[in-house]
Amino acid sequence: MSHTALILWFLLQFVTSFFATAFFAIIFNAPRKLLIPSGLVGAVGWIVYYVLNTYDVSAVTASFAGSLCLGVMAHLMSRYYRQPVIIFYVAGIIPLVPGGLAYDATKNLVISDYSTALQNGIQVTLISGAIAFGLIVAEMIFHSFFRARKYIRRR
């Protein structure tokens, strides 16, 4: 793929994940003024995941990096708009959730292909854990930063 085509493909991925996240924010009744920021949070998380996954980083590592960026963006948006961070987390996490792989695991379990179902199930569990861990690390970074900032201001 040429350089220009690759950039256009990444741009298309960014735009579609932006709209997917924004539409899920509508479904989850996010305030109207937060639809665009929610879309940006989800799109940034997805594009980090997609770029890393495109360049042969494992899906688990790419999911961790995507959710870490998503978590940092969600905290930044939360501070900027003075809204709860969960508004940005819930809608933004949608593109990263391994729903298709979970469906495949369940389908293989139903058709008695247990080895494939087990492989897919373990992969879903690892990806989901990486997403959760990325959000926790982002939470810890912000908690530590603001705690240190508060400590420095007291001095």
Side-chain angles (χ1 to χ4, degrees), residues 4-143:
T4 306
L6 192 62
I7 289 173
L8 288 175
W9 183 250
F10 286 149
L11 185 61
L12 178 67
Q13 289 288 322
F14 186 86
V15 169
T16 55
S17 61
F18 171 84
F19 282 114
T21 305
F23 292 150
F24 267 97
I26 291 170
I27 291 171
F28 294 134
N29 290 325
R32 281 188 184 198
K33 70 178 185 173
L34 299 180
L35 296 181
I36 291 175
S38 294
L40 285 174
V41 167
V44 166
W46 172 255
I47 206 69
V48 168
Y49 165 81
Y50 189 77
V51 167
L52 289 176
N53 208 20
T54 299
Y55 291 108
D56 293 330
V57 174
S58 75
V60 175
T61 305
S63 295
F64 170 76
S67 68
L68 178 63
C69 289
L70 182 143
V72 169
M73 285 286 298
H75 275 280
L76 291 173
M77 294 294 186
S78 172
R79 299 275 178 194
Y80 182 78
Y81 289 100
R82 292 182 173 89
Q83 296 290 325
V85 72
I86 194 73
I87 294 172
F88 301 101
Y89 274 170
V90 171
I93 206 73
I94 295 298
L96 294 178
V97 172
L101 194 58
Y103 170 80
D104 287 341
T106 305
K107 179 189 71 165
N108 287 319
L109 190 64
V110 169
I111 63 173
S112 300
D113 185 3
Y114 299 118
S115 64
T116 306
L118 184 62
Q119 276 182 325
N120 289 348
I122 290 171
Q123 189 74 5
V124 166
T125 304
L126 289 173
I127 291 171
S128 300
I131 291 169
F133 190 61
L135 294 177
I136 290 169
V137 169
E139 190 79 30
M140 289 169 43
I141 288 169
F142 269 82
H143 181 71

